[in-house]
Amino acid sequence: SVPYLDRPPTPLEFYREWVSPNKPCIIQNAISHWPALKNWTSAYLREVVGPKVVSVAVTPNGYADAVFKDRFVMPEERQMPFMDFLDIVERKVTSPNVFYVQKQCSNLTKEFPELVGDVQPDIPWMSEALGKKPDAVNFWLGESAAVTSLHKDHYENLYCVISGEKRFLLHPPSDRPFIPYELYQPATYQVSEDGSFEIVDEMSADKV
């Protein structure tokens, strides 16, 4: 079981009790002051971001950055108006594919700066505990079919849920020897002329 904290920890507590021993926790009442909890309705996002073109990951099955047969397949990265993406998420437009705003190179600050004022660009007690500001602050929005495959992050993570839910399956570091590990040819989903997806190898990329 993962412990619940009823308040944000002090920087010392957070580093000593959670970061240093590599233990997860769920922190309640940590972002209750964020305007995003009240503001971020579909209507608000349409008004504030609206027709702006953003990066959206598109896959036939919801698995982005995932092993499929003998390839490590990355999603098609589609540029589309944010309001069109919301139409798909809200089922106003039907699509057989799965769409997910999930770019990971600080897309909140780079692609969605209009929303930064509704949250915080960093969490003060986290920044103090680690001695630095975050390298990336991401905004993710997707359908329930969007699944993130098993992976290891090279960063400490704080995941703040504004609406809906996100389920995590966490393995302790001691499980590492028991997790299969192979090298795969990188590839990308691309849409063919008939609308179906094909898997195209990234020929210049090293195996991952």
Side-chain angles (χ1 to χ4, degrees):
S1 64
V2 177
Y4 281 76
L5 310 183
D6 60 7
R7 59 166 178 81
T10 67
L12 178 59
E13 285 175 330
F14 187 60
Y15 189 82
R16 183 178 57 204
E17 302 296 330
W18 309 106
V19 176
S20 183
N22 279 314
K23 289 167 59 179
C25 63
I26 297 170
I27 306 168
Q28 298 175 311
N29 304 310
I31 59 170
S32 53
H33 58 292
W34 283 9
L37 271 72
K38 179 171 87 281
N39 291 350
W40 283 8
T41 63
S42 178
Y44 177 85
L45 295 175
R46 283 180 186 278
E47 180 183 344
V48 173
V49 184
K52 184 176 185 178
V53 174
V54 300
S55 302
V56 180
V58 187
T59 60
N61 52 19
Y63 286 85
D65 300 331
V67 173
F68 180 74
K69 296 182 179 177
D70 60 346
R71 295 291 188 269
F72 178 77
V73 190
M74 292 165 283
E76 177 204 358
E77 191 169 288
R78 191 174 300 180
Q79 302 296 306
M80 61 189 298
F82 186 67
M83 58 175 54
D84 291 355
F85 165 74
L86 286 178
D87 285 344
I88 293 168
V89 170
E90 295 182 312
R91 305 286 194 268
K92 293 178 179 177
V93 174
T94 57
S95 171
N97 304 317
V98 179
F99 292 69
Y100 193 14
V101 169
Q102 56 118 52
K103 200 162 184 178
Q104 299 175 35
C105 50
S106 208
N107 74 334
L108 176 67
T109 57
K110 294 178 181 177
E111 282 201 302
F112 297 91
E114 305 89 346
L115 300 177
V116 173
D118 291 332
V119 292
Q120 287 175 281
D122 78 296
I123 309 294
W125 46 267
M126 175 71 149
S127 297
E128 187 174 341
L130 299 181
K132 64 179 296 188
K133 296 291 181 70
D135 287 347
V137 185
N138 299 313
F139 169 82
W140 292 347
L141 177 62
E143 310 170 70
S144 59
V147 177
T148 304
S149 297
L150 177 65
H151 65 282
K152 172 184 180 256
D153 282 331
H154 299 285
Y155 295 87
E156 302 293 348
N157 281 275
L158 279 184
Y159 200 101
C160 304
V161 179
I162 304 296
S163 177
E165 66 179 26
K166 180 77 171 179
R167 297 185 182 187
F168 292 86
L169 176 61
L170 300 173
H171 291 273
S174 54
D175 274 7
R176 170 63 190 87
F178 311 107
I179 295 174
Y181 194 87
E182 294 182 38
L183 287 173
Y184 291 90
Q185 168 65 44
T188 305
Y189 283 116
Q190 291 186 10
V191 178
S192 57
E193 289 185 3
D194 64 1
S196 64
F197 276 96
E198 56 183 359
I199 295 173
V200 179
D201 286 347
E202 299 280 345
M203 298 307 298
S204 61
D206 294 332
K207 288 191 174 183
V208 294

